[in-house]
Amino acid sequence: MTVTSLQYRLDGPRTAPVVLLVPPFGARMTVWEPQMPELTRNRQVLRINHRGHGRSPAPAGPYNIEELAMDVLRLLEAQGLRQVSAVGSGFGASLLVWIAANSPHTIDRMALLAATPRTPSVHGWDRIATRARGSGVDAVTAEVVLSWFTPDMYEERPEVAARFIEDFGDIDPEGFASVYEAVAQMDQRHLVSVLRLPTLVVSAAHDPLLPPGHGRRLADGILDARFEVVHGAAHLLGVERADRVNELLVEHLAPYPEE
């Protein structure tokens, strides 16, 4: 198994408890900027870039979800972090599910945004990976980012959407393709059933990639999980509806120790 040293950033009060933010594949740690003002009030926030994203290296594939999760787990160990809270978005949330199931004391509570227990087969993940590896990520940009935002977002805040699309163009093709191949095989239904930690699952009402039914099935499989639907957003709901997502995250991550 190959473990990669991920690019990371740690912000917030140095003595505060840590919350780990895992972005969706295809997006960099900057996807969490709308959450930073709220979360850094009472927390240290640890953000990462996946393999091939930002300055994280992209070793030759194939990858699997276990390896990608171990990248995160090893980073926590290197930082001396024995326990954190965690928020994961999109298929990046699958890494938190793996860690919570296989290292149950590492995460004390987690939130999963636009997530699913099993990758749907209808989106042609392997085909997208092959095109990205052969022709670069520009060849798949239009298809990948289609689900990120609602038409209203593209019309009313085009500069925000354009920034994330530009970031996507800088992803290493091999890293992206190998991550997508790992996603194509992802089925965590057997892991979900063993989770025993406070979990918030949030879906976006207008997410064409992973509609709310995916989040509902994920939440139903986790003991006492809370499920919420955020309206007026597509797959990157933390960007498009940061106001509502921040409310949910702050509530779920509370109470803070000083409270």
Side-chain angles (χ1 to χ4, degrees), residues 57-194:
Y63 307 159
N64 58 50
I65 295 299
E66 179 181 356
E67 286 180 311
L68 298 173
M70 286 300 299
D71 290 346
V72 179
L73 196 56
R74 292 292 173 82
L75 173 61
L76 296 178
E77 293 174 352
Q79 295 298 308
L81 298 173
R82 295 186 176 182
Q83 189 173 71
V84 298
S85 300
V87 183
S89 182
F91 289 104
S94 65
L95 308 189
L96 297 184
V97 171
W98 190 94
I99 292 172
N102 290 278
S103 182
H105 299 295
T106 298
I107 301 176
D108 60 5
R109 58 179 55 230
M110 66 181 178
L112 309 174
L113 312 179
T116 181
R118 181 185 185 187
T119 300
S121 60
V122 296
H123 295 293
W125 310 97
D126 291 326
R127 173 180 50 80
I128 293 174
T130 298
R131 285 171 53 203
R133 182 176 282 113
S135 304
V137 294
D138 287 346
V140 299
T141 297
E143 187 171 2
V144 171
V145 306
L146 182 63
S147 65
W148 283 6
F149 301 113
T150 65
D152 286 345
M153 178 74 169
Y154 283 111
E155 180 178 341
E156 297 170 8
R157 299 162 63 191
E159 72 288 350
V160 176
R163 177 163 55 88
F164 286 102
I165 294 171
E166 182 179 354
D167 285 348
F168 178 79
D170 292 332
I171 295 174
D172 180 88
E174 172 63 26
F176 176 79
S178 297
V179 164
Y180 249 51
E181 287 166 346
V183 167
Q185 308 302 320
M186 194 272 290
D187 185 347
Q188 296 186 318
R189 290 173 294 178
H190 63 297
L191 298 182
V192 168
S193 62
V194 305

